[in-house]
């Protein structure tokens, strides 16, 4: 390796970028997975256009995948790039601004044809005109080298051969960061086992890239990121959607119920349907409905039938489901509604992420129709959030909205696989007997939880009717003034009482902290990083991250009132902020960005300092 | 898949299906005889009472489940088929019925209606077609005739009506029938057939709303001399009608035409075949009713056996379990590339 | 008239109650109208079952109509009854509890058959068993007397003759309160002119009732309520729905636009469709859509085409429209959405009234989709609220939700008919020219209002595309982070700026008042009565009633902070309360009833005193 | 009612209809030729460019309006017909087109679709039927074949598909046609016919999605020898097809059947009549396509002139104004019983 030096880093951020058809998602995901397997902590961020395959070479057709690998527990994919792999001019144009000065830029020079330069809107070639000054640039004719490497593979035409160039790029980067090539090679063998020629081509391209790094002597240094110290256990990388799907299956298993997932496809929730549709041998029933209303209706019908009814969607679909969710409030049946929030309003930015559905989750139904709302905060947490959602919905016979978002749905991180006995108990019992003087009263409640009995149709003697009209305890339609008032208040009280049954808000506070950060959902990662960095800078910080958004943890009032300043960072215009202010009358401030992507930790750092005011900011220097 | 009639036959009577709640329809409403007909068919089926579920939307007709002493869900407007689909696919051991109105099924619920038809879920849908919105006090519905004066069409309806039978056939229905609220026997027969059908069974009942659309079907009632317009479809029989059976139906140039039997000869009449794979003839029969009054085909238009949605769903599950064994959660969690951290 | 004395009253509350088929709505309405015409102020409250014609004689089939007539400006139909007219045992059973001790109960003894007594669940006859002790009871065989009176009318069978008995009842009560019979007689002649026999029968029945009062000598007293002092002008009685329909027509007239009303029938909004469908000669286009989604879509399409698009509904329909309203937020086109709130959640109590849709009006859409919300507060105010709604929606090119409710939609009161020049100017201008360097940029905004240009399709040279995806000023789809953040914030700012353009909150405060009441919507009437009564009792009160709920009037913060105590009475579980607390951080308290009907003024009176605490309560004694 | 083509004829070319935005469909997508065909038909119509409005829902196909240099609204999923109905009834002087996908029109938008058919609003609906959800990356749609493996049906689709032509006919459509994305000339002719139809015109275009459903219509393409399956319907002509016209269609027993012309004789073939009041024959023709590949009728199935919704709406308004005079707001406000307070 001659003069190549080895540099130790605690973390590195790499982004792979190219055309939608260049396979960057696969490459980035692969690099992340390998790094996970090799013991790093990782956080990833896929970012792709709303178009399926936007015209080649255009800036809006660029698809990118970002990975942060670290020797500590990272919580974000990183604010800025240490390494950019750009397969064409458009990718360079879009993503170069994010590379740190002095960072590494690896370009596929074959992609820099005049046509592609024009497409990207470059008037001169950035590889030659000084654009890349100040970066460490590696120019590699990846397409040529891939074709060369693949040429002896039989049954692969030139076009197909070219397609392997992402594996060449992966090979180069794998070498640069000392990623053991065998893991990826084995994976390629598995993944493409049904088309041996493609497998062969990809293997050859990958190896060629790896060896290119080793032999081309263009790199002055290679980098090493040590394994992170994670909680011992068995791990896998997991996206939020995968974790959510597994969480639902696990919850149904714990509750001994059939999982019934009804959905209408929508980005970024469709993968939940895809994941679950494959699990037929688990008895999972999936139903692709004609629209979101039908999906909610079928899930609710399934719950009525005694299954675990779940329906997943994103914002526009949530709007449509609300009337049916309101019916579920009235029927008092379990129903888990998953909302993977995306950029709104309306169709907005469908492949981007934000946190703008909290208020509609809380209040977006006519009438007084309260329900519990919880939010997942990271890809792996989706697993646990799903279990908690199911637990509450089943126990309290209530629809519940579980919020995730486009970012954590598609991003991935290592997930410590729990053993089955780490999973919560979820006990369900169905009514089998009359409950009042030989009669069955469907709205006679459990005095503790206020939940009504759940009956399996088919149970003799308990035949009864439920419906959206107001009822009395006996289940009869009632237009009585006082009954309605009481029922409205009882349904609200039932939801309020869930507060007794959830963990208190966890406060992570330095003694003497002046500023409390209150966050929820996917901002968790950026807030964690920002808080850590501020602490490193000597600022005392307090932080609480909420999973339960309705009801709020019972100690939250006390927590928010214990700090002179409270800030609520959100990727919306201040939705939790409104709730906190109304609930506790504290003058909390919002930090709000609605850019369709998570906060940069550094932006939060600055924003928190600003809230703290000069004094604190100075203290930090 | 559990079957709906495997439980030991039980002796039930009509009364067993009447709930404790007194129906709240207007006196004389056509919904009463429909309720009575359903209550008299169910005991015949040998299905325990607790295995029936009645689901509905919103409308006068959608109050139906409250009056049935079975399991029941009074849903929201237009969405009964969605709830019923969830129940029927989650619980194939239940027999699921939907009670719905012309507004409920064809206006706000039109999409679920046509999708229920094509999916062939194991549910039975009774459409109470009174050609009006009853519960909201008399606006026109998608089956109201052109020109009709109603509260919301003071100058006459300008929307061309649906023909529910044609619509169902265009949506790939496997069982389609039509009956009338004033003929208890015919209604009972048709409902019985629907009860036994596997897959989505659609029954349109021409129903009189005494308050907002009184007499809409007088042209068919015996007391108004309407028997002459009733064309009874019976499988395997040539289609004849009229007081003395002097009229008949031929299928000519793809259309169903009314003819004098004497003129064309009985042997040339259309012999009804519910089971034709191709629904074109059934469709042609549905076109006999002109927009307003006229000769109208009643009975079962179409009854073909196709795999039901729930059968297919459950056979996929069974096949997967056969092939892969029942799901093992522990293995599932550990699937994919894993690594150990010590 | 012998010994009959004349008693002067300042107000009287009368309720007519009978079977759904007994015509009580018509009778009550008629009595109200006559009283209005005779110069009283009136407030009415129709209350009917959800069933069309529930079985005769049942308690749930009882239909009632309440009228308060007064010589001052009444704002509520009254808490308790001075007079109850009960046509059958069920009506008596349901409504007797509301009659004040010593009040008048007029019963149709012919209705008290054994069958009807059984139906109503009476085990003995209340006319005989002492139930009515303490009331002034007048037993009149109204059916018999009606049949007698009508018998010579030709072409009227017994059944039809019986139907006239409500006019007999009206006659009796008209006599009792000295209502000039001619007004009603003239009205009967007009109303039934197409069926002379029915007209004749009703006239005869009415006169028979009137003369019965005069001659039967069962009444010891007759009552007089003097005309009220109302603002001079021409008056008519009007329900909220009628006023709303007229307001929309007037607004379209002022804006010189075609009114396009698209709706799907739903109680209690259907009458808007019925009213407007009749006005074809005004060029009003009404469209009965297949569902609420289609109604909203068609109204929005009409607005796109340059009409005034309006869509009306109630809660369940609002849920369904929200996705389309979100599209309107993105398209930035005018769209007025009327929500006549009814008892929820789900189908709830469809013929009852509550205020439970405020939060979903504000927040019930995915993404950040802010829009203005205003609320009508009385039947006549619906007229002015419609004009204000249209003004704002057109000027700011925004969807707007106008809240009314089942109570004011159906209730009536005298409406001073404005002359045309009292109507606000509503100027609309359509873009006709390119607005930026010879190009047309659809999202280039007015710097003042931030409204974008509205273009009539058909305008040459301004062809452009709008849609639900995020756009830049130029109207191009943009996935740019910063653009989205800016657009989200600009749309919010546009709505916020409307605050500059609305009247300040009107404060009606006694010097030294300790308690501020903040109210909105139809509670106005009860709050006005409660505040008046408390003042009469010597309590100093402050009150502000909000029409604009988003944005809130700019001075509201100052107002709510000027009083030690703030109370927000609502027919919900505290929706405006949440907004006020979040916005101004004042510890406002809620007074909440969700009974499906307006507050009783007396309940509010007590509740306000309670909030004021003992001290104030004592001061009041 | 203003007419759509009264403005002086303008000379426009295809290019005038191309917007400044470059289409973002996948290379090779069947949406490109449809765009080209529409852009080439519009200039023929003599309608000024500014009088066209293109409306769409959500899907790959629904990006269509962005690429047309006319007025355009990219709406929300499934709701294009509602927006189009509002525009067309508010502004009868505009020519309104809807671009929609099989998911957009038939899944989430099914209700608006069938109601647009029956109402006969003056809009033209182009259904881009690729039998798949393109934009959401490959789930099955309501026109996907039974058994098809897609992302959301890893074990095969169990929903029986709609036949869009049958569905439209069952919903009382007045104009129904089908064409293919690979035959520019046929597409152009059919679209031209749709442009001239008064009322709701429905055109199904069989469209290839190269990424998620490549080759779905290969059975019809010339390069795959599919011409033999193309049955071209032409008004007034006997229906023949096959490489040498050796096959034909007869209507027998209400069904459309494929026959050898030689065997039955040309004179016995069905002579296509688009204008039949009764849609039964048109329906029968729509049933020729079996669920998967097979002889498929292309062209205009049905074209009948009925009053359009907007014509009726405007004639009611005109009649009311004729009778009552134009509305007088002052009088309206003062109507009913009024009284004066001094
Ligand atoms: C979402 C929603 N929209 C509207 C309504 C009001 N609504 C209730 S029933 C009904 C129509 C009833 O007509 P139909 O289905 O024909 O039943 P019928 O009363 O005639 O039996 C309508 C429009 C509602 N309850 N919910
Ligand atoms: C309310 C709502 N639900 C779901 C989606 C997601 N979605 C967008 S397009 C689409 C289906 C696209 O299929 P199709 O209409 O056939 O159009 P294609 O892309 O195939 O042209 C879906 C499910 C959405 N945008 N909005
Ligand atoms: S309104 Fe009509 S449909 Fe409804 S209950 Fe009365 S008669 Fe029956
Ligand atoms: S995904 Fe299919 S339908 Fe969509 S643009 Fe690509 S090829 Fe066309
Ligand atoms: Mg009806
Ligand atoms: Mg498609």
């Amino acid at each position: 390796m001659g003069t190549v030096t080895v540099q130790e880093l605690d973390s590195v951020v790499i982004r792979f970028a190219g055309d939608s058809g260049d396979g960057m998602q696969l490459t980035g995901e692969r690099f992340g997975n390998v790094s996970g397997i090799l013991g790093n902590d990782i956080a990833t961020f896929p970012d792709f256009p709303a178009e399926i395959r936007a015209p080649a070479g255009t800036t809006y057709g660029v698809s990118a995948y970002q990975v942060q690998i670290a020797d500590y527990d990272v919580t974000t994919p990183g604010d800025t790039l240490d390494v950019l792999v750009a397969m064409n001019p458009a990718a360079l144009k879009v993503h170069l601004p994010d590379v740190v000065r002095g960072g590494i830029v690896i370009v596929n020079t074959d992609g820099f044809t005049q046509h592609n330069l024009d497409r990207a809107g470059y008037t001169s070639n950035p590889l030659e005109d000084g654009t890349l000054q100040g970066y460490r640039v590696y120019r590699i004719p990846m397409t040529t080298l891939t074709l060369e490497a693949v040429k002896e593979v039989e049954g692969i035409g030139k076009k197909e051969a070219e397609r392997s160039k992402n594996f060449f790029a992966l090979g180069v980067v794998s070498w640069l960061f000392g990623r053991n090539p065998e893991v990826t090679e084995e994976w390629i063998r598995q993944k493409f086992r049904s088309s041996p020629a493609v497998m062969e081509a990809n293997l050859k391209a990958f190896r060629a890239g790896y060896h290119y790094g080793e032999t081309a002597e263009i790199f002055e240094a290679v980098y090493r990121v040590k394994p992170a110290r994670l909680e011992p256990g068995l791990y896998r990388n997991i996206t939020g959607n995968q974790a959510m799907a597994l969480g639902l299956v696990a919850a149904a298993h714990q509750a001994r119920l059939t999982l019934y997932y009804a959905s209408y496809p929508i980005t970024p929730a469709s993968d939940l349907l895809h994941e679950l549709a494959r699990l037929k041998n688990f008895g999972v029933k999936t139903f692709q409905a004609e629209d979101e209303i039908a999906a909610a209706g079928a899930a609710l019908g399934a719950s009525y039938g005694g299954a675990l009814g779940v329906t997943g969607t994103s914002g526009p679909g949530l709007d449509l489901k609300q009337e049916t969710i309101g019916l579920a409030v009235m029927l008092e049946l379990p129903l888990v509604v998953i909302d993977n929030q995306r950029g709104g309003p309306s169709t907005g930015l469908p492949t981007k992420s934000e946190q703008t559905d909290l208020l509609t989750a809380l209040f977006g139904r006519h009438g007084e129709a309260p329900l519990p709302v919880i939010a997942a905060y990271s890809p792996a947490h989706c697993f646990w959030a799903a279990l908690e959602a199911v637990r509450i919905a089943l126990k309290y016979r209530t629809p519940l909205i579980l919020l995730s978002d486009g970012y954590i749905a598609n991003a991935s991180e290592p997930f410590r696989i729990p053993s089955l006995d780490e999973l919560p108990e979820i006990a369900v019992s169905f009514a089998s007997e009359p409950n009042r003087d030989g009669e069955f009263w469907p709205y006679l409640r459990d005095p503790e939880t206020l939940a009504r009995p759940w009956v399996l149709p088919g149970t003799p003697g308990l035949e009864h009717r439920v419906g959206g009209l107001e009822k009395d305890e006996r289940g009869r339609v009632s237009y009585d003034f006082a009954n309605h008032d009481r029922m409205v208040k009882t349904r609200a009280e039932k939801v309020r009482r869930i507060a007794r049954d959830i963990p208190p808000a966890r406060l992570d506070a330095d003694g003497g902290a002046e500023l409390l950060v209150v966050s929820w959902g996917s901002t968790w990662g950026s807030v964690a990083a920002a808080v850590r960095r501020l602490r490193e800078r000597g600022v005392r910080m307090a932080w609480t991250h909420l999973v339960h958004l309705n009801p709020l943890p019972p100690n939250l009032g006390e927590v928010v009132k214990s700090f002179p300043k409270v800030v609520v960072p959100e990727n919306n215009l201040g939705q939790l902020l409104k709730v906190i202010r109304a609930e506790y009358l504290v003058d909390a401030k919002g930090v709000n960005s609605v850019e369709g992507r998570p906060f940069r930790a550094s932006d939060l750092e600055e924003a928190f300092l600003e809230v703290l005011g000069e004094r604190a900011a100075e203290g930090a220097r | 898949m559990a079957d709906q009639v495997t439980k030991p036959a039980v002796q039930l009577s009509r009364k067993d299906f009447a709930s404790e709640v007194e129906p709240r329809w207007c006196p004389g409403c056509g919904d009463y005889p429909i309720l009575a007909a359903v209550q008299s068919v169910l005991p015949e089926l040998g299905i325990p009472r607790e295995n029936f579920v009645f689901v509905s939307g919103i409308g006068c007709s959608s109050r139906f489940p409250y009056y049935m002493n079975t399991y029941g869900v009074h849903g929201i407007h237009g969405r009964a088929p969605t709830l019923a689909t969830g129940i029927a696919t989650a619980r194939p051991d239940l027999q699921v019925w939907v009670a719905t109105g012309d507004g409920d099924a064809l206006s706000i619920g039109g999409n679920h209606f046509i999708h229920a038809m094509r999916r062939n879920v194991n549910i039975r849908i009774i459409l109470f077609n009174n050609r009006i919105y009853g519960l909201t006090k008399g606006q026109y519905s998608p089956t109201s005739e052109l020109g009709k004066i109603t509260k919301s069409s003071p100058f006459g309806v300008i929307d061309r009506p649906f023909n529910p039978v044609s619509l169902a056939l265009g949506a790939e229905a496997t069982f389609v029938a039509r009956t009338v609220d004033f003929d208890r026997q015919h209604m009972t027969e048709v409902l019985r057939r629907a009860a036994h059908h596997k897959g989505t069974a659609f029954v349109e009942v021409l129903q009189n709303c005494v308050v907002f659309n009184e007499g809409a079907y007088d042209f068919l009632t015996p007391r108004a001399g309407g028997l002459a317009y009733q064309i009874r479809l019976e499988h395997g029989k040539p289609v004849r009608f009229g007081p003395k059976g002097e009229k008949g139906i031929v299928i000519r140039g793809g259309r169903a035409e009314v003819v004098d039997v004497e003129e064309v000869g009985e042997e040339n009449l259309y012999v009804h075949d519910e089971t034709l794979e191709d629904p074109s003839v059934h469709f042609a029969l549905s076109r006999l009713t002109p927009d307003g009054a006229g000769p109208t085909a009643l009975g079962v238009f179409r009854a073909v056996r196709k795999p039901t949605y729930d059968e297919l769903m459950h056979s996929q599950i069974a096949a997967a379990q056969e092939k892969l064994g029942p799901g093992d959660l522990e293995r599932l969690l550990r699937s994919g590339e894993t690594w150990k951290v010590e």
Side-chain angles (χ1 to χ4, degrees), chain B residues 19-20 29 42 49 61 71 92 100 129 149 171 184 202 208 212 214 217 225 243 264 274 280 287 296 301 332 340:
Chain B
S19 81
E20 75 293 351
C29 175
L42 299 196
R49 189 174 67 181
S61 38
Y71 284 90
T100 181
N129 184 3
I149 307 285
R184 174 70 173 277
F202 170 57
N208 193 33
F212 297 110
E214 167 65 14
Y217 300 112
V264 301
E274 310 163 346
S280 298
R287 306 310 296 179
T296 302
F301 287 72
L332 176 67
K340 256 219 163 73

Side-chain angles (χ1 to χ4, degrees), chain B residues 26-80:
Chain B
C26 305
C29 175
D31 292 355
Y32 286 102
I34 305 179
L35 176 66
V38 171
Q39 287 173 340
S40 68
V41 167
L42 299 196
E44 298 176 6
L45 303 176
I47 299 178
R49 189 174 67 181
E50 63 271 17
N51 282 11
F52 288 100
V53 183
F54 279 79
V55 185
S56 66
I58 302 289
C60 294
S61 38
S62 288
R63 296 290 175 96
F64 199 89
Y66 289 127
Y67 311 137
M68 294 294 303
N69 192 8
T70 63
Y71 284 90
V73 186
H74 180 219
I76 46 179
H77 198 29
R79 317 303 173 188

Side-chain angles (χ1 to χ4, degrees), chain A residues 330 469-473 475-484 486-487, chain B residues 24 66:
Chain A
M330 210 65 159
L469 286 168
E470 188 63 279
K471 304 279 188 300
D472 59 19
E473 271 74 14
R476 307 273 169 94
V477 173
S478 166
Y479 301 136
D480 184 67
F481 296 125
N483 178 71
H484 180 53
R486 186 165 40 90
M487 283 298 198
Chain B
R24 298 189 181 183
Y66 289 127

Side-chain angles (χ1 to χ4, degrees), chain A residues 242-262 272-273 275-287 298-299 302-303 306-312 335-336 338 386 390 394 454, chain B residues 86 89-90 313-314 317 329 332:
Chain A
Q242 288 166 343
M244 186 79 85
L246 290 182
L248 292 174
V249 175
H253 176 268
Q254 294 302 92
R256 283 164 199 79
L257 295 178
T258 298
L259 175 60
Y260 191 106
Y261 185 78
L272 290 172
L273 177 61
E275 293 287 338
L276 291 168
R278 291 193 289 112
L279 302 180
K280 296 244 182 299
N281 64 321
F282 283 79
V284 175
K285 297 183 180 178
T286 56
F287 175 62
S303 282
L308 168 57
V310 181
T311 183
L335 176 69
V336 174
I338 298 169
V390 170
L394 290 177
W454 191 10
Chain B
T89 48
M313 182 187 247
H314 290 95
I317 289 175
L329 178 59
L332 176 67

